[in-house]
């Protein structure tokens, strides 16, 4: 995930084989004029190296922000958005993100400034 500046924190927590497949998008927020897209993703992936502050957890919430969003299209009609496909491609001066759910819902965005994992917290 080259466009997410600190994606290594997810690898540090979950291991090198981490991806979002099977995780659930719990919340998505778009700030149109700020060019910002935020997602809270709930995952059941095994935690390989938990924070020393974590005592117990059932699932983990990962908050990610994408900056410089130029265009976004969504179709979300299902109650749950379980990720089937999560891909980010690099273009000449921007990135294209496509997230597809098991039910065919989708989030497609084009952004230029990159992304940042804002928090990882136990639930």
């Amino acid at each position: 995930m080259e466009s997410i500046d600190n994606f290594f924190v997810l690898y540090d927590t979950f291991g090198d084989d981490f991806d979002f497949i099977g995780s659930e998008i719990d919340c998505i927020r778009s700030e149109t004029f700020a060019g910002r897209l935020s997602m809270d993703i709930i995952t059941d992936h095994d935690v390989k190296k938990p924070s020393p502050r974590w005592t117990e957890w059932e699932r983990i919430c990962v908050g990610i922000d994408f900056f410089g969003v130029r265009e976004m299209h969504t179709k979300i009609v299902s109650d749950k958005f379980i990720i089937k496909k999560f891909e980010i491609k690099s273009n000449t001066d921007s990135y294209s993100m496509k997230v597809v759910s098991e039910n065919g819902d989708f989030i497609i965005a084009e952004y230029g400034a990159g992304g940042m994992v804002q928090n990882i917290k136990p639930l």
Side-chain angles (χ1 to χ4, degrees):
M1 300 271 175
E2 65 192 49
S3 73
I4 300 175
D5 294 339
N6 61 346
F7 199 78
F8 66 89
V9 299
L10 295 175
Y11 287 156
D12 287 349
T13 303
F14 298 106
D16 293 340
D17 59 346
F18 177 76
D19 60 26
F20 287 113
I21 307 305
S23 301
E24 177 183 356
I25 296 180
D26 183 53
C27 183
I28 181 170
R29 296 169 302 283
S30 174
E31 298 176 33
T32 306
F33 295 114
R36 182 174 167 181
L37 171 65
S38 300
M39 284 189 218
D40 291 335
I41 302 172
I42 308 296
T43 185
D44 292 333
H45 287 352
D46 290 337
V47 176
K48 307 252 189 236
K49 196 162 54 168
S51 168
R53 295 176 286 164
W54 296 1
T55 55
E56 61 180 88
W57 60 90
E58 289 181 28
R59 303 186 315 164
I60 306 296
C61 179
V62 177
I64 301 179
D65 287 345
F66 298 92
F67 303 98
V69 176
R70 300 176 185 154
E71 189 174 343
M72 185 173 93
H73 302 279
T74 63
K75 176 189 150 204
I76 303 173
V77 295
S78 303
D79 289 342
K80 289 191 173 202
F81 192 111
I82 306 299
I83 299 172
K84 177 180 176 181
K85 178 180 181 183
F86 190 107
E87 70 178 22
I88 298 176
K89 293 182 181 178
S90 177
N91 301 325
T92 305
D93 64 343
S94 65
Y95 300 98
S96 298
M97 176 179 61
K98 184 175 186 179
V99 185
V100 179
S101 80
E102 293 176 345
N103 298 324
D105 296 342
F106 62 82
I107 301 165
I108 299 172
E110 183 177 322
Y111 59 99
M116 179 76 67
V117 175
Q118 297 293 354
N119 58 48
I120 303 174
K121 55 188 172 187
L123 299 175

